[in-house]
Amino acid sequence: MNSSKFPLLALAAMLLAAPAAAQTDQGPTGGAVSGIVPELNFFSVSDDTLMVLVEYRPAAEIRDDLGRALGEQAIAEQRVLRTKLLLAQAEARIKIKEAEISSLKVQEDLAKNEQNEFKKKEFEARKRQAEREKQMLERRRDLRNREIGVVEALRDYYKAKAKVHELEGELGARRDQRNAVAGQPVSVAVQQQFIRLEQDIQDFERKTLEAQVDEANKWKDVANKETELVKARKSLFDSQMKVQKGR
């Protein structure tokens, strides 16, 4: 095929996508490089250009990051289950405390009917203390709900992070394929394959960028929920100190 019939944009893209090894007449192992004229000064696809918005990274590095994200996601899922168990325990303690308050109320009423002022005041004091303890248990229950929100947000963040690395891996694979095609002799088939890969690369780069935006938003959600959780813990600590001093 005459290269003059090759669309100029596609040819220019292939030249820019040509491996850095094509800058000389020898490849990285010393073998001859076929296809693109060796004396031209071609750019490597790993060079930073205005068209590259998702950085080039080694496939092994992307796989490692993906593995870590999936591992953290699994850990977060376990934390969700554990925190939900703690929430169930908190709710059970509230029910026990409610039963205790009801019992103290009955004994207070009996002492009142018996006109036993001493016992009446004793049961009143014990009931007030039990009600304060119930309030603390309710706040701890609310705290557990906040903790569940944090670990669920963390799980969702690592899920989004894993999605980024999955797409990044797909993008990297398409870039490698394009590099291989760019080093082949020019033909209609090569041209068509190159154009298809360029379209795939643009699609995966868009998807990767969208996934990165989602990842960033998920991290913001984690940070906001963690801030509210810490504030709630501090408030509960202060309240517990007041209850202890009231005993």
Side-chain angles (χ1 to χ4, degrees), residues 12 15 18 25 35 39 51 63 80-81 94 101 118 127 148-149 168 170 172 185 191 195 216-217 238 244:
L15 296 182
D25 57 354
E39 60 270 17
M51 298 302 294
R63 284 195 300 271
V80 170
L81 295 175
I94 290 171
I101 292 170
F118 177 79
K127 188 183 72 172
I148 290 172
E168 194 180 2
E170 293 286 350
Q191 174 192 352
I195 291 173
N217 287 331
D238 293 339
Q244 288 180 7

Side-chain angles (χ1 to χ4, degrees), residues 18 31 48 62-63 69 81 103 105 127 141 166 183-184 187 197 199 208 225 227-229:
D48 187 22
I62 295 172
R63 284 195 300 271
L81 295 175
S103 176
K105 180 67 169 63
K127 188 183 72 172
R141 176 198 59 197
E166 288 173 357
Q184 296 177 9
S187 69
L197 286 169
Q199 292 172 343
T208 303
K225 282 183 167 59
T227 298
E228 294 304 315
L229 173 61

